[in-house]
Amino acid sequence: MHKTLEKTRTKGADYDAVVVGAGFGGLYSVHKLRNEQGMNVKAYDSAGDVGGTWYWNRYPGALSDTESFVYRFSFDKKLLQRGRWKTRYLTQPEILEYMNEVADHLDLRRSYEFNTKVTAAHFDEATGLWKVTTDKGQSVTAKYLITGLGLLSATNLPKFKGIETFRGKILHTGAWPEGVDLTGKRVGVIGTGSTGVQVITATAPIAKHLTVFQRSAQYVVPIGNTPQDAETIASQKASYDEIWKQVKSSVVAFGFEESTVPAETATPEELERVFEAAWRRGGGFYFMFGTFCDIATSQVANDAAANFIKKKITQIVKDPEIAKKLTPKDIYAKRPLCGNDYYDVYNRDNVTLADVKADPIAEFTPTGIRLASGAEHELDVVIFATGFDAVDGNYTRIDMRGRNGVTLRDKWKDGPLGYLGMMETDFPNFFMILGPNGPFTNLPPSIETQVEWISDVIEMMEVKGLNSIEPTAAARDEWVGQCRTIADATLFPKAESWIFGANIPGKKNAVMFYMAGLGNYRNAINTVKDGGYQTLIFDQATEEVA
């Protein structure tokens, strides 16, 4: 491992690169550029330490729904063999502990300034450098700007009448304070997406009363978070070479073999058998992609999966009226959800389901929430599990300007664009990790894929003495068009979902992901690299780099 070069290679710059974020993407970028390529790197995060999403999302029940053995980095064999987990899925404290271990192992913290938010990033055409400004009034310059802002970190807090009059506590799952105890409290949860499901199942057993404010009924399968024995873990660790090879060539990168069998041609008996086995095994992505290959693309197959889950709801939920409210009306084509006995929660005496599509929230009162019908729910705590302004929200909230002062906000006003999920026209030497139109998968393998591609580009530029890089408009437009075509070949655009920005009032429906899977994505970006980066514009440096 190289030591950090104190000297900056880039003439006239404070640093060679600025990295924003201390989640999986930011940490790996600092390692690649500083430890492996010997660059002088400055990194920032608004949190108090490393962890990214997992630093902020400390709500009850928070866990990854990717299995423990593949929710981690693959690049460091020592770290892989050192990995510790007890159950099939990692809880938030375990993930945070892992990320701290990564930071310690690779000595990453010394490049970071924590509790520091980047408020602006402007490209200066005269110098060819990025000027990055923080909320502490500092400004630094660097040749390269790499952002690991996270897909899901710009919190979405809907506005309600009278919210400022509420005398209880208001919390958002994406900015959870320490020391919150919900035991014996009257708790309201607004939102029933992935986070909402986790909060609801964790809170129901400890709250005095739980009121769930549901706008959309969800398809939720069991998670199956079973204990993992030492033998299973040892076997997974021994097979990592094959495991990562499979993950990186797969569609969703969740560590299971995706099905190649269509549900459309299966017999009713086969459908029942396969779905029942998947229900018992657990896992949201497994239920959608591990059972049959056409659930996300065929209406017939989708109906079969949806009807199986609907049947389970009627079997589990004792009150037929509540079961009816919990039964989804739309197709099974949002982010796949899974939870710990989710539907059983509604059989509890201390749980109330409020259908706010039928009877919307009218206002907050000093003591709780009043619905349009006049029904009042008295509450001590209201938890917003209302998700995020996903994918582009973090970028449009920063004052980001490229060539000729063009802002990212203006460029993306009709929906986020982005080339390969990593770059944008008129924004030279700017690389996004998990930017718009990147892969829809288990994230650590996608993050690794992108960071490695970005660091290869930067290394090539430094070796050749190149000054700047940005995509052509034609290449960007072709990529966005390809992402739309792929998305339209699936059923996902037919459901109202954050995947297309539907959870943010006034946000235009836009494609935000490359939905053909990680294997195809890796092939696509490697084709660009192997073809000599023909889709990118380079500006040869006029002076030799020092």
Side-chain angles (χ1 to χ4, degrees):
M1 200 185 287
H2 304 296
K3 290 189 85 169
T4 303
L5 296 182
E6 287 185 19
K7 187 171 175 288
T8 300
R9 296 182 200 166
T10 311
K11 272 189 181 169
D14 299 318
Y15 298 94
D16 295 311
V18 165
V19 172
V20 187
F24 278 97
L27 293 178
Y28 192 31
S29 298
V30 172
H31 170 62
K32 289 294 286 183
L33 298 179
R34 191 199 74 189
N35 292 345
E36 291 192 357
Q37 295 183 23
M39 298 184 93
N40 196 340
V41 177
K42 178 74 172 175
Y44 297 100
D45 198 287
S46 57
D49 206 338
V50 301
T53 293
W54 298 105
Y55 179 92
W56 298 108
N57 285 264
R58 299 168 183 239
Y59 58 84
L63 82 166
S64 167
D65 61 357
T66 305
E67 293 191 43
S68 302
F69 73 106
V70 286
Y71 199 75
R72 54 194 63 245
F73 287 120
S74 70
F75 70 86
D76 189 306
K77 285 190 159 68
K78 263 189 201 161
L79 268 176
L80 281 173
Q81 294 309 316
R82 238 191 252 169
R84 295 180 303 283
W85 61 93
K86 304 182 201 76
T87 50
R88 194 164 174 191
Y89 301 96
L90 294 170
T91 62
Q92 178 270 338
E94 290 175 305
I95 299 168
L96 199 53
E97 187 185 337
Y98 168 72
M99 296 185 83
N100 274 282
E101 189 178 348
V102 170
D104 291 341
H105 175 65
L106 300 171
D107 186 25
L108 300 176
R109 278 191 193 80
R110 67 185 161 91
S111 289
Y112 275 90
E113 207 162 310
F114 293 108
N115 298 307
T116 306
K117 190 170 191 158
V118 169
T119 54
H122 295 177
F123 182 72
D124 183 337
E125 289 175 80
T127 61
L129 301 177
W130 280 95
K131 182 184 179 190
V132 178
T133 307
T134 74
D135 60 353
K136 292 183 175 167
Q138 308 151 304
S139 282
V140 298
T141 56
K143 181 175 178 180
Y144 302 102
L145 174 61
I146 296 99
T147 53
L149 301 182
L151 278 184
L152 301 173
S153 52
T155 52
N156 169 40
L157 193 65
K159 294 175 174 62
F160 287 106
K161 184 183 169 189
I163 196 164
E164 69 289 342
T165 69
F166 180 58
R167 290 199 294 260
K169 197 180 281 259
I170 290 177
L171 304 168
H172 191 289
T173 52
W176 197 265
E178 282 190 44
V180 174
D181 185 4
L182 301 174
T183 308
K185 299 279 198 306
R186 296 169 302 174
V187 180
V189 175
I190 299 175
T192 53
S194 182
T195 297
V197 166
Q198 292 181 351
V199 173
I200 289 160
T201 53
T203 305
I206 60 168
K208 180 181 181 183
H209 195 90
L210 172 65
T211 306
V212 176
F213 296 90
Q214 172 192 275
R215 189 184 60 169
S216 304
Q218 302 279 14
Y219 294 96
V220 184
V221 306
I223 188 164
N225 194 16
T226 48
Q228 298 277 271
D229 57 58
E231 198 179 327
T232 302
I233 293 170
S235 158
Q236 287 167 335
K237 286 183 175 180
S239 312
Y240 261 134
D241 287 351
E242 300 84 59
I243 285 168
W244 290 117
K245 192 177 172 189
Q246 187 277 330
V247 163
K248 289 173 185 180
S249 62
S250 71
V251 177
V252 290
F254 269 69
F256 59 78
E257 292 281 348
E258 285 116 357
S259 174
T260 55
V261 178
E264 233 181 64
T265 54
T267 63
E269 295 75 23
E270 192 183 356
L271 289 171
E272 182 70 22
R273 178 182 61 75
V274 172
F275 285 139
E276 183 61 39
W279 184 270
R280 290 173 190 273
R281 177 196 184 276
F285 276 80
Y286 183 82
F287 194 89
M288 187 178 273
F289 296 99
T291 49
F292 296 100
C293 64
D294 53 352
I295 290 171
T297 52
S298 153
Q299 193 62 63
V300 172
N302 194 272
D303 288 345
N307 290 337
F308 179 87
I309 299 172
K310 287 175 182 176
K311 187 179 75 180
K312 285 290 187 187
I313 296 169
T314 59
Q315 288 170 356
I316 294 165
V317 182
K318 290 168 186 167
D319 183 322
E321 273 308 300
I322 295 173
K324 198 172 162 189
K325 286 181 185 175
L326 286 166
T327 301
K329 308 275 190 296
D330 55 0
I331 62 173
Y332 176 45
K334 296 183 182 181
R335 182 206 189 283
L337 304 183
C338 52
N340 183 23
D341 300 326
Y342 176 68
Y343 297 115
D344 285 293
V345 163
Y346 298 94
N347 292 326
R348 299 178 66 97
D349 295 335
N350 71 326
V351 175
T352 300
L353 177 65
D355 179 357
V356 294
K357 195 163 254 180
D359 187 5
I361 293 173
E363 62 181 341
F364 276 62
T365 68
T367 55
I369 288 176
R370 184 181 295 132
L371 303 182
S373 64
E376 291 205 32
H377 296 274
E378 294 198 345
L379 303 164
D380 303 310
V381 181
V382 175
I383 298 170
F384 280 90
T386 44
F388 304 88
D389 187 355
V391 186
D392 62 327
N394 260 343
Y395 289 94
T396 54
R397 292 180 187 200
I398 297 173
D399 176 14
M400 299 198 75
R401 302 184 193 192
R403 288 193 192 280
N404 305 314
V406 64
T407 67
L408 215 44
R409 204 174 289 132
D410 273 352
K411 206 172 252 288
W412 292 354
K413 66 180 184 294
D414 293 325
L417 300 169
Y419 179 56
L420 307 178
M422 293 184 278
M423 303 173 85
E424 185 49 277
T425 58
D426 299 319
F427 281 75
N429 299 349
F430 169 54
F431 299 96
M432 302 172 280
I433 303 157
L434 303 183
N437 299 308
F440 182 68
T441 64
N442 166 29
L443 294 180
S446 286
I447 288 166
E448 277 192 325
T449 293
Q450 292 187 329
V451 171
E452 285 161 9
W453 191 89
I454 290 164
S455 57
D456 283 349
V457 169
I458 289 174
E459 186 171 39
M460 176 273 296
M461 287 179 67
E462 292 299 292
V463 167
K464 292 186 173 179
L466 296 169
N467 202 33
S468 70
I469 183 174
E470 61 199 285
T472 66
R476 191 272 319 271
D477 293 345
E478 188 186 340
W479 179 257
V480 174
Q482 195 181 335
C483 289
R484 171 50 78 184
T485 302
I486 293 163
D488 286 345
T490 75
L491 298 172
F492 282 100
K494 294 183 169 65
E496 275 205 9
S497 166
W498 65 261
I499 295 169
F500 296 91
N503 63 321
I504 306 297
K507 190 167 179 175
K508 295 191 180 184
N509 179 290
V511 65
M512 296 201 206
F513 289 99
Y514 173 87
M515 300 189 89
L518 183 57
N520 286 328
Y521 176 76
R522 287 173 67 87
N523 290 339
I525 65 171
N526 286 334
T527 299
V528 172
K529 180 182 159 186
D530 297 341
Y533 305 103
Q534 300 290 312
T535 52
L536 300 166
I537 304 163
F538 292 98
D539 178 10
Q540 188 74 35
T542 49
E543 294 176 9
E544 282 297 308
V545 259

